[in-house]
Amino acid sequence: MKYKFILICLLGFLGIKNMQAQETSLTLEEAINLALLNSDESKIADTKVNTAGYEVKVAKGKRYPDVKIAGQYQHLTKVNADIKLDTGSDGSGTEPDISSVMFGQATASLPLFSGFKLNNLVKASKNNYEAATLDAKSEKENIALQTVSAYVNLYKAHKTVELISENLKSAQQRVKDFSAMMENGLLAKNDLLKAQLQESNIEVSLEEAKKNENILNYSLVTTLKMPADTKIAINDDNFQLTLINEENDSIQRSDLQALLYRKEAAKNNIKIAQSKYYPSIALLGGYVAMDVKNVLTVTDAMNFGVGVSYNLADIFKAHNEVKVAKSQAEELQHTIDMVQDKIMVEVENANQEYNLANKKYDVYLKSEEQATENYRIVKDKYDNGLVDTNDLLEADIDQLQAKINLAYSKADIVKKYYELLNAHGQINTEVN
């Protein structure tokens, strides 16, 4: 029996340690950094930047010469050939036996002028790379804001469970007190039933709150790529009201800056389309070696020169391509104007929402104090027989709701603060 007791204690201790290992304390800043490091959305954004970087290298590579090597060997069947060869003064000689041909060639072409196409291809790819980098930065701002929202929602769910659990304890104690009073003939059964009904309702509310907390917790740990059984513990210190909304007119929206770079790339595309109006000039060079068996052997046949090509049809075809490129550039300019107006509205809205959240907190703080005092007064009157059970239970529910509203409003201030930072494009700057 002694060893069995020790074994049970050991297993219980290990179970407690395992539960503790599953619970992880996580600050809001840590959650944001994990999302930026591990989330699939963040990795996709980084991959797009890498792709744009490779496209710059591809564009630069088109400036380098093209070098081609080709070789052939052909075995010939009986050949009927009329070969004009000097067979001697007497006209005697034999027709050569041509049974195979070998041919080797190396050519190199270096573009000298292509209507400024290559330079503009490189410039366009660089502008697109800068745009992709800024798009990734903008996407990570949104990822950070989504993480803030998920973190705040989990905190709200956690506080709801905590407050309802406390309220349930009070309701259970009330039922015990009412049961004792009814047994002593001091309380009607109907009042006990009302207290029991409220206890049951609170239990249902608690189970729903726990379910919501579990779902939100699982969603967040999945996004952050943490173990699925991780229980995130959120400390109230993460929601201390020490945030200061300094008047800051600086707007550093990466999505707008990305559009400006794409506009520059569109200008480069216009010049690329216009390059077809010009001829192409290239420096050419090569080497040829050939062996026609029993007839001809050529080695060290070097050649070099300049090649010029001009497609006359491009004069007509390029006209519409230029129009398309100009129309795309014009479309981007309209998009930039639209986004600029949208950003100004978002900034103003975020500022108003943040100020409203602070005002709501002040109101809910007073409401919580009033609800607590009201319950104390109603409870005192109930104990003195001045109010009925309905008034007591109603005051208790009002007190619980006031506490939940206060907790929610505190979390909303943090959320609205980060939404304001996001409107200015400064979430990740603030976190870092």
Short mmCIF file of all heavy atoms in Angstrom, two decimals, residues 32-83:
data_model
loop_
_atom_site.label_atom_id
_atom_site.label_comp_id
_atom_site.label_asym_id
_atom_site.label_seq_id
_atom_site.Cartn_x
_atom_site.Cartn_y
_atom_site.Cartn_z
N ILE A 32 2.85 38.90 -31.72
CA ILE A 32 3.03 39.55 -33.03
C ILE A 32 4.31 39.07 -33.70
O ILE A 32 4.32 38.73 -34.90
CB ILE A 32 3.05 41.08 -32.87
CG1 ILE A 32 1.67 41.59 -32.44
CG2 ILE A 32 3.47 41.76 -34.17
CD1 ILE A 32 1.63 43.07 -32.11
N ASN A 33 5.39 39.01 -32.95
CA ASN A 33 6.67 38.57 -33.53
C ASN A 33 6.61 37.12 -33.99
O ASN A 33 7.18 36.77 -35.03
CB ASN A 33 7.80 38.76 -32.51
CG ASN A 33 8.17 40.22 -32.31
OD1 ASN A 33 8.12 41.00 -33.25
ND2 ASN A 33 8.53 40.59 -31.10
N LEU A 34 5.91 36.27 -33.24
CA LEU A 34 5.76 34.87 -33.66
C LEU A 34 4.95 34.77 -34.94
O LEU A 34 5.25 33.97 -35.83
CB LEU A 34 5.09 34.06 -32.55
CG LEU A 34 5.98 33.59 -31.39
CD1 LEU A 34 5.14 32.90 -30.32
CD2 LEU A 34 7.06 32.65 -31.89
N ALA A 35 3.90 35.60 -35.05
CA ALA A 35 3.08 35.60 -36.26
C ALA A 35 3.89 36.04 -37.47
O ALA A 35 3.78 35.45 -38.56
CB ALA A 35 1.86 36.51 -36.07
N LEU A 36 4.72 37.06 -37.28
CA LEU A 36 5.54 37.55 -38.39
C LEU A 36 6.62 36.54 -38.77
O LEU A 36 7.06 36.50 -39.93
CB LEU A 36 6.21 38.88 -38.00
CG LEU A 36 5.25 40.05 -37.75
CD1 LEU A 36 6.04 41.28 -37.35
CD2 LEU A 36 4.42 40.35 -38.99
N LEU A 37 7.03 35.72 -37.82
CA LEU A 37 8.08 34.74 -38.09
C LEU A 37 7.53 33.42 -38.63
O LEU A 37 8.12 32.83 -39.54
CB LEU A 37 8.88 34.48 -36.80
CG LEU A 37 10.03 33.49 -36.90
CD1 LEU A 37 11.13 34.04 -37.81
CD2 LEU A 37 10.60 33.20 -35.51
N ASN A 38 6.39 32.98 -38.09
CA ASN A 38 5.95 31.61 -38.37
C ASN A 38 4.70 31.48 -39.23
O ASN A 38 4.48 30.41 -39.81
CB ASN A 38 5.67 30.89 -37.04
CG ASN A 38 6.92 30.74 -36.19
OD1 ASN A 38 8.03 30.68 -36.71
ND2 ASN A 38 6.74 30.70 -34.88
N SER A 39 3.88 32.52 -39.32
CA SER A 39 2.60 32.36 -40.01
C SER A 39 2.80 32.12 -41.50
O SER A 39 3.77 32.58 -42.11
CB SER A 39 1.72 33.60 -39.80
OG SER A 39 2.25 34.72 -40.48
N ASP A 40 1.88 31.37 -42.10
CA ASP A 40 1.96 31.08 -43.53
C ASP A 40 1.85 32.35 -44.36
O ASP A 40 2.52 32.48 -45.40
CB ASP A 40 0.83 30.12 -43.92
CG ASP A 40 1.00 28.75 -43.29
OD1 ASP A 40 2.17 28.32 -43.12
OD2 ASP A 40 -0.01 28.10 -42.96
N GLU A 41 1.02 33.28 -43.93
CA GLU A 41 0.86 34.53 -44.67
C GLU A 41 2.18 35.30 -44.75
O GLU A 41 2.53 35.87 -45.79
CB GLU A 41 -0.22 35.42 -44.02
CG GLU A 41 -1.63 34.87 -44.09
CD GLU A 41 -1.94 33.91 -42.96
OE1 GLU A 41 -0.99 33.53 -42.22
OE2 GLU A 41 -3.11 33.52 -42.82
N SER A 42 2.92 35.32 -43.64
CA SER A 42 4.21 36.02 -43.62
C SER A 42 5.22 35.34 -44.54
O SER A 42 5.97 36.01 -45.26
CB SER A 42 4.76 36.07 -42.18
OG SER A 42 5.98 36.76 -42.13
N LYS A 43 5.22 34.02 -44.55
CA LYS A 43 6.15 33.28 -45.41
C LYS A 43 5.81 33.50 -46.89
O LYS A 43 6.71 33.59 -47.74
CB LYS A 43 6.11 31.80 -45.06
CG LYS A 43 6.69 31.49 -43.68
CD LYS A 43 6.58 30.02 -43.34
CE LYS A 43 7.15 29.74 -41.95
NZ LYS A 43 7.02 28.32 -41.56
N ILE A 44 4.52 33.55 -47.21
CA ILE A 44 4.12 33.82 -48.59
C ILE A 44 4.60 35.20 -49.02
O ILE A 44 5.10 35.39 -50.14
CB ILE A 44 2.59 33.71 -48.72
CG1 ILE A 44 2.14 32.25 -48.57
CG2 ILE A 44 2.11 34.25 -50.07
CD1 ILE A 44 0.64 32.08 -48.49
N ALA A 45 4.46 36.19 -48.13
CA ALA A 45 4.91 37.55 -48.45
C ALA A 45 6.41 37.58 -48.71
O ALA A 45 6.88 38.22 -49.67
CB ALA A 45 4.54 38.50 -47.31
N ASP A 46 7.19 36.86 -47.88
CA ASP A 46 8.64 36.83 -48.08
C ASP A 46 9.01 36.12 -49.38
O ASP A 46 9.95 36.53 -50.08
CB ASP A 46 9.31 36.11 -46.90
CG ASP A 46 9.27 36.94 -45.62
OD1 ASP A 46 9.18 38.17 -45.72
OD2 ASP A 46 9.33 36.35 -44.53
N THR A 47 8.26 35.07 -49.71
CA THR A 47 8.53 34.34 -50.95
C THR A 47 8.28 35.21 -52.18
O THR A 47 9.03 35.15 -53.17
CB THR A 47 7.65 33.08 -51.02
OG1 THR A 47 7.90 32.26 -49.87
CG2 THR A 47 7.97 32.26 -52.27
N LYS A 48 7.25 36.04 -52.13
CA LYS A 48 6.97 36.95 -53.24
C LYS A 48 8.12 37.94 -53.43
O LYS A 48 8.47 38.28 -54.57
CB LYS A 48 5.66 37.69 -52.99
CG LYS A 48 4.42 36.82 -53.13
CD LYS A 48 3.16 37.62 -52.88
CE LYS A 48 1.92 36.74 -53.06
NZ LYS A 48 0.66 37.50 -52.79
N VAL A 49 8.71 38.39 -52.34
CA VAL A 49 9.87 39.30 -52.44
C VAL A 49 11.04 38.57 -53.09
O VAL A 49 11.73 39.13 -53.97
CB VAL A 49 10.25 39.83 -51.05
CG1 VAL A 49 11.53 40.66 -51.14
CG2 VAL A 49 9.13 40.68 -50.47
N ASN A 50 11.28 37.34 -52.67
CA ASN A 50 12.38 36.56 -53.26
C ASN A 50 12.16 36.36 -54.76
O ASN A 50 13.11 36.46 -55.55
CB ASN A 50 12.50 35.21 -52.57
CG ASN A 50 12.95 35.34 -51.12
OD1 ASN A 50 13.59 36.32 -50.75
ND2 ASN A 50 12.62 34.36 -50.30
N THR A 51 10.91 36.08 -55.15
CA THR A 51 10.60 35.89 -56.56
C THR A 51 10.89 37.16 -57.36
O THR A 51 11.48 37.11 -58.45
CB THR A 51 9.12 35.51 -56.73
OG1 THR A 51 8.86 34.30 -56.01
CG2 THR A 51 8.78 35.28 -58.21
N ALA A 52 10.50 38.30 -56.81
CA ALA A 52 10.77 39.57 -57.49
C ALA A 52 12.27 39.82 -57.59
O ALA A 52 12.75 40.38 -58.59
CB ALA A 52 10.09 40.72 -56.74
N GLY A 53 13.04 39.40 -56.59
CA GLY A 53 14.49 39.55 -56.64
C GLY A 53 15.11 38.70 -57.75
O GLY A 53 16.02 39.15 -58.46
N TYR A 54 14.58 37.49 -57.92
CA TYR A 54 15.08 36.64 -59.00
C TYR A 54 14.73 37.22 -60.37
O TYR A 54 15.50 37.10 -61.33
CB TYR A 54 14.49 35.24 -58.88
CG TYR A 54 14.92 34.51 -57.62
CD1 TYR A 54 14.02 33.75 -56.89
CD2 TYR A 54 16.24 34.59 -57.16
CE1 TYR A 54 14.41 33.09 -55.73
CE2 TYR A 54 16.63 33.93 -56.01
CZ TYR A 54 15.71 33.19 -55.30
OH TYR A 54 16.11 32.54 -54.16
N GLU A 55 13.56 37.88 -60.46
CA GLU A 55 13.17 38.50 -61.73
C GLU A 55 14.11 39.64 -62.10
O GLU A 55 14.36 39.88 -63.29
CB GLU A 55 11.73 38.99 -61.64
CG GLU A 55 10.71 37.84 -61.60
CD GLU A 55 9.29 38.33 -61.37
OE1 GLU A 55 9.12 39.53 -61.03
OE2 GLU A 55 8.35 37.52 -61.52
N VAL A 56 14.65 40.34 -61.11
CA VAL A 56 15.65 41.38 -61.39
C VAL A 56 16.90 40.75 -62.00
O VAL A 56 17.46 41.25 -62.99
CB VAL A 56 16.03 42.14 -60.10
CG1 VAL A 56 17.18 43.11 -60.36
CG2 VAL A 56 14.82 42.92 -59.58
N LYS A 57 17.33 39.62 -61.45
CA LYS A 57 18.51 38.94 -61.98
C LYS A 57 18.27 38.44 -63.40
O LYS A 57 19.17 38.46 -64.24
CB LYS A 57 18.89 37.78 -61.06
CG LYS A 57 19.37 38.23 -59.68
CD LYS A 57 19.75 37.04 -58.81
CE LYS A 57 20.23 37.51 -57.44
NZ LYS A 57 20.62 36.38 -56.57
N VAL A 58 17.04 37.96 -63.66
CA VAL A 58 16.70 37.51 -65.01
C VAL A 58 16.80 38.67 -66.01
O VAL A 58 17.35 38.53 -67.11
CB VAL A 58 15.29 36.89 -65.05
CG1 VAL A 58 14.84 36.65 -66.49
CG2 VAL A 58 15.27 35.58 -64.27
N ALA A 59 16.28 39.83 -65.61
CA ALA A 59 16.32 41.00 -66.49
C ALA A 59 17.76 41.45 -66.75
O ALA A 59 18.13 41.78 -67.87
CB ALA A 59 15.51 42.15 -65.88
N LYS A 60 18.59 41.42 -65.70
CA LYS A 60 20.00 41.80 -65.87
C LYS A 60 20.73 40.80 -66.77
O LYS A 60 21.63 41.17 -67.52
CB LYS A 60 20.70 41.89 -64.52
CG LYS A 60 20.27 43.08 -63.67
CD LYS A 60 21.04 43.11 -62.35
CE LYS A 60 20.69 44.34 -61.54
NZ LYS A 60 21.42 44.37 -60.24
N GLY A 61 20.35 39.54 -66.69
CA GLY A 61 21.00 38.51 -67.47
C GLY A 61 20.81 38.69 -68.97
O GLY A 61 21.63 38.21 -69.77
N LYS A 62 19.75 39.41 -69.37
CA LYS A 62 19.52 39.63 -70.79
C LYS A 62 20.52 40.60 -71.40
O LYS A 62 20.59 40.72 -72.63
CB LYS A 62 18.09 40.14 -71.01
CG LYS A 62 17.03 39.09 -70.67
CD LYS A 62 15.62 39.59 -70.95
CE LYS A 62 14.62 38.49 -70.63
NZ LYS A 62 13.22 38.92 -70.91
N ARG A 63 21.31 41.27 -70.57
CA ARG A 63 22.36 42.16 -71.08
C ARG A 63 23.59 41.38 -71.52
O ARG A 63 24.41 41.88 -72.28
CB ARG A 63 22.78 43.15 -70.00
CG ARG A 63 21.74 44.22 -69.67
CD ARG A 63 22.23 45.03 -68.49
NE ARG A 63 21.45 46.23 -68.27
CZ ARG A 63 21.62 47.06 -67.24
NH1 ARG A 63 22.56 46.79 -66.35
NH2 ARG A 63 20.88 48.14 -67.11
N TYR A 64 23.73 40.17 -71.01
CA TYR A 64 24.93 39.38 -71.30
C TYR A 64 24.83 38.76 -72.69
O TYR A 64 23.73 38.56 -73.24
CB TYR A 64 25.11 38.30 -70.24
CG TYR A 64 25.23 38.84 -68.84
CD1 TYR A 64 24.51 38.29 -67.79
CD2 TYR A 64 26.05 39.94 -68.57
CE1 TYR A 64 24.61 38.80 -66.50
CE2 TYR A 64 26.16 40.44 -67.29
CZ TYR A 64 25.44 39.88 -66.26
OH TYR A 64 25.54 40.39 -64.99
N PRO A 65 25.97 38.43 -73.28
CA PRO A 65 25.94 37.84 -74.63
C PRO A 65 25.34 36.44 -74.64
O PRO A 65 25.42 35.72 -73.65
CB PRO A 65 27.41 37.81 -75.03
CG PRO A 65 28.17 37.80 -73.74
CD PRO A 65 27.34 38.61 -72.79
N ASP A 66 24.74 36.09 -75.77
CA ASP A 66 24.27 34.74 -75.99
C ASP A 66 25.39 33.95 -76.67
O ASP A 66 25.94 34.38 -77.69
CB ASP A 66 23.03 34.73 -76.90
CG ASP A 66 21.82 35.33 -76.20
OD1 ASP A 66 21.74 35.19 -74.97
OD2 ASP A 66 20.98 35.94 -76.88
N VAL A 67 25.75 32.82 -76.15
CA VAL A 67 26.80 31.97 -76.71
C VAL A 67 26.19 30.60 -76.99
O VAL A 67 25.63 29.96 -76.08
CB VAL A 67 28.00 31.83 -75.75
CG1 VAL A 67 29.07 30.93 -76.37
CG2 VAL A 67 28.58 33.20 -75.43
N LYS A 68 26.29 30.16 -78.25
CA LYS A 68 25.69 28.89 -78.64
C LYS A 68 26.76 28.01 -79.28
O LYS A 68 27.62 28.47 -80.02
CB LYS A 68 24.57 29.11 -79.65
CG LYS A 68 23.41 29.94 -79.10
CD LYS A 68 22.34 30.15 -80.16
CE LYS A 68 21.20 31.00 -79.62
NZ LYS A 68 20.15 31.23 -80.66
N ILE A 69 26.69 26.73 -78.97
CA ILE A 69 27.58 25.73 -79.55
C ILE A 69 26.73 24.66 -80.21
O ILE A 69 25.77 24.16 -79.61
CB ILE A 69 28.50 25.10 -78.49
CG1 ILE A 69 29.37 26.17 -77.83
CG2 ILE A 69 29.36 24.01 -79.09
CD1 ILE A 69 30.23 25.65 -76.71
N ALA A 70 27.07 24.32 -81.45
CA ALA A 70 26.32 23.30 -82.18
C ALA A 70 27.29 22.40 -82.93
O ALA A 70 28.34 22.84 -83.39
CB ALA A 70 25.35 23.96 -83.17
N GLY A 71 26.95 21.14 -83.02
CA GLY A 71 27.79 20.19 -83.75
C GLY A 71 26.94 19.12 -84.39
O GLY A 71 25.88 18.76 -83.87
N GLN A 72 27.38 18.62 -85.53
CA GLN A 72 26.65 17.58 -86.25
C GLN A 72 27.61 16.55 -86.81
O GLN A 72 28.72 16.88 -87.23
CB GLN A 72 25.83 18.18 -87.41
CG GLN A 72 24.69 19.08 -86.98
CD GLN A 72 23.89 19.55 -88.18
OE1 GLN A 72 24.05 19.04 -89.29
NE2 GLN A 72 23.02 20.54 -87.95
N TYR A 73 27.16 15.33 -86.85
CA TYR A 73 27.85 14.27 -87.58
C TYR A 73 26.79 13.54 -88.40
O TYR A 73 25.77 13.10 -87.84
CB TYR A 73 28.56 13.30 -86.66
CG TYR A 73 29.08 12.08 -87.41
CD1 TYR A 73 30.28 12.15 -88.11
CD2 TYR A 73 28.34 10.90 -87.43
CE1 TYR A 73 30.74 11.05 -88.82
CE2 TYR A 73 28.80 9.80 -88.15
CZ TYR A 73 30.00 9.88 -88.84
OH TYR A 73 30.45 8.80 -89.55
N GLN A 74 27.01 13.43 -89.68
CA GLN A 74 26.06 12.76 -90.56
C GLN A 74 26.78 11.72 -91.40
O GLN A 74 27.81 12.00 -92.05
CB GLN A 74 25.38 13.78 -91.50
CG GLN A 74 24.57 14.84 -90.76
CD GLN A 74 23.90 15.82 -91.71
OE1 GLN A 74 24.00 15.67 -92.93
NE2 GLN A 74 23.23 16.81 -91.14
N HIS A 75 26.28 10.48 -91.36
CA HIS A 75 26.81 9.42 -92.21
C HIS A 75 25.99 9.40 -93.50
O HIS A 75 24.75 9.37 -93.45
CB HIS A 75 26.70 8.06 -91.51
CG HIS A 75 27.21 6.93 -92.34
ND1 HIS A 75 28.56 6.71 -92.55
CD2 HIS A 75 26.55 5.95 -93.03
CE1 HIS A 75 28.71 5.66 -93.33
NE2 HIS A 75 27.49 5.17 -93.63
N LEU A 76 26.66 9.44 -94.61
CA LEU A 76 26.00 9.53 -95.90
C LEU A 76 25.99 8.18 -96.62
O LEU A 76 26.95 7.39 -96.53
CB LEU A 76 26.71 10.58 -96.77
CG LEU A 76 26.87 11.98 -96.16
CD1 LEU A 76 27.63 12.88 -97.13
CD2 LEU A 76 25.52 12.57 -95.80
N THR A 77 24.91 7.93 -97.34
CA THR A 77 24.86 6.77 -98.22
C THR A 77 25.60 7.12 -99.51
O THR A 77 26.28 8.14 -99.60
CB THR A 77 23.39 6.39 -98.51
OG1 THR A 77 22.74 7.50 -99.13
CG2 THR A 77 22.66 6.03 -97.21
N LYS A 78 25.47 6.30 -100.52
CA LYS A 78 26.18 6.56 -101.77
C LYS A 78 25.80 7.93 -102.29
O LYS A 78 24.62 8.26 -102.43
CB LYS A 78 25.83 5.49 -102.80
CG LYS A 78 26.57 5.65 -104.13
CD LYS A 78 26.29 4.49 -105.06
CE LYS A 78 26.96 4.71 -106.41
NZ LYS A 78 28.41 4.83 -106.32
N VAL A 79 26.82 8.73 -102.57
CA VAL A 79 26.60 10.12 -102.96
C VAL A 79 26.93 10.30 -104.44
O VAL A 79 28.01 9.88 -104.90
CB VAL A 79 27.49 11.08 -102.12
CG1 VAL A 79 27.30 12.51 -102.58
CG2 VAL A 79 27.16 10.92 -100.65
N ASN A 80 25.99 10.86 -105.16
CA ASN A 80 26.25 11.28 -106.53
C ASN A 80 26.58 12.76 -106.51
O ASN A 80 25.71 13.60 -106.31
CB ASN A 80 25.04 11.01 -107.42
CG ASN A 80 24.75 9.52 -107.57
OD1 ASN A 80 25.69 8.72 -107.69
ND2 ASN A 80 23.46 9.15 -107.56
N ALA A 81 27.84 13.10 -106.66
CA ALA A 81 28.27 14.49 -106.55
C ALA A 81 29.07 14.89 -107.77
O ALA A 81 29.92 14.12 -108.25
CB ALA A 81 29.10 14.69 -105.29
N ASP A 82 28.77 16.04 -108.27
CA ASP A 82 29.54 16.61 -109.39
C ASP A 82 30.52 17.61 -108.80
O ASP A 82 30.17 18.76 -108.51
CB ASP A 82 28.58 17.27 -110.38
CG ASP A 82 29.33 17.82 -111.60
OD1 ASP A 82 30.51 17.47 -111.76
OD2 ASP A 82 28.72 18.60 -112.36
N ILE A 83 31.72 17.17 -108.54
CA ILE A 83 32.72 17.98 -107.85
C ILE A 83 33.72 18.48 -108.86
O ILE A 83 34.34 17.69 -109.61
CB ILE A 83 33.43 17.17 -106.76
CG1 ILE A 83 32.39 16.65 -105.75
CG2 ILE A 83 34.48 18.02 -106.06
CD1 ILE A 83 32.98 15.74 -104.70
#
